[in-house]
Amino acid sequence: MSVHIAAKKGEIAKTVLQPGDPRRARYIAENFLEEVKLVSETRSILYFTGLYKGKEISVGASGMGVPSIGIYSYELFTEFDVDTIIRIGTCGAYTDELKVFDVLNVNNAASESTYAKYAWEIEEEILPPPGHIFSLLNKTAENRSLNLIPTTIHTSDIFYRKSQEIPEIAKKYNCSAVEMEAFALFANAQYLGKNAATLLTVSDVIPTGEFISADQRESALKPMIELALEAAMNI
């Protein structure tokens, strides 16, 4: 048992799907997995383990932001011997070339965050997804005729800011969208020699103000969830 995850050794699978929201973790567990067991609910951050088409998969929340996913992904990798984490989340598009409901496969996460530097002495401000899962997701999407968009995104520590301009680092790396966790997940996986990937569904388009309503969210995220689960079958 780790500091923040109360599961026992062996109760978390080698592959974990990691949404930010605990309620989304419950939704995935209850609607996509069989023989589901709640293995941790410390601080109301829920972790479940079950079977998807006979393969053991865990799903659990990361919370919001770099510090939170930094903690949870690190403990999964080190305390529970997890090999692969696939983050499944939402993002805001910086460009109207993206549309709501688009599914993105992050090929680089750029960030102003000091997390990688001060945690692991990783100096780069842009990180790729470590391991082979990025390519596996692309192949799985192709087999399912799903339009999956590989792209560079901005991982920001800031949700509200004074300036409405696109941050300089996002301009520097031509980031198409913004979220708050991928950079830390990639840093942890790089340092520990693990596999990580991030799938994102575009929930709002910043230039146009278009967004997915609360009522649409569950159905909107279904293609991304199913893609992650199908890819997990081949890990």
Side-chain angles (χ1 to χ4, degrees), residues 127-224:
L127 297 175
H132 66 286
I133 308 305
F134 172 82
S135 297
L136 177 60
L137 288 166
N138 286 334
K139 182 64 175 177
T140 305
E142 181 181 344
N143 292 340
R144 295 175 61 82
S145 299
L146 174 67
N147 183 30
L148 182 63
I149 303 171
T151 191
T152 297
I153 59 91
H154 174 208
T155 296
S156 179
D157 285 337
I158 301 168
F159 192 83
Y160 301 107
R161 64 174 72 233
K162 180 178 179 180
S163 173
Q164 299 304 306
E165 294 292 320
I166 294 177
E168 288 303 314
I169 194 166
K171 293 178 184 177
K172 178 179 179 180
Y173 292 106
N174 195 29
C175 297
S176 66
V178 59
E179 54 84 74
M180 302 186 75
E181 289 85 25
F183 182 79
L185 172 61
F186 293 175
N188 280 357
Q190 178 177 311
Y191 177 72
L192 296 168
K194 301 286 188 172
N195 299 306
T198 292
L199 291 173
L200 301 170
T201 296
V202 177
S203 59
D204 58 288
V205 180
I206 296 169
T208 66
E210 186 183 7
F211 65 94
I212 297 174
S213 70
D215 292 340
Q216 293 174 310
R217 289 232 168 186
E218 285 187 0
S219 60
L221 300 180
K222 186 177 178 182
M224 175 179 65

Side-chain angles (χ1 to χ4, degrees), residues 8-24:
K8 299 175 182 176
K9 285 280 190 179
E11 288 188 326
I12 290 182
K14 293 293 186 180
T15 299
V16 175
L17 272 58
Q18 196 168 45
D21 185 351
R23 292 176 299 178
R24 196 167 297 154

Side-chain angles (χ1 to χ4, degrees), residues 43-100:
R43 301 188 181 204
S44 298
I45 296 291
L46 307 178
Y47 276 80
F48 301 87
T49 297
L51 299 178
Y52 179 75
K53 297 183 179 180
K55 183 178 178 71
E56 187 177 62
I57 301 287
S58 292
V59 56
S62 69
M64 288 192 295
V66 160
S68 189
I69 198 171
I71 291 170
Y72 285 103
S73 62
Y74 180 82
E75 292 183 8
L76 289 169
F77 284 141
T78 60
E79 299 294 329
F80 296 98
D81 300 321
V82 169
D83 292 328
T84 301
I85 295 176
I86 303 174
R87 162 163 157 64
I88 46 176
T90 56
C91 65
Y94 280 140
T95 171
D96 59 10
E97 293 179 6
L98 293 176
K99 307 300 180 186
V100 292

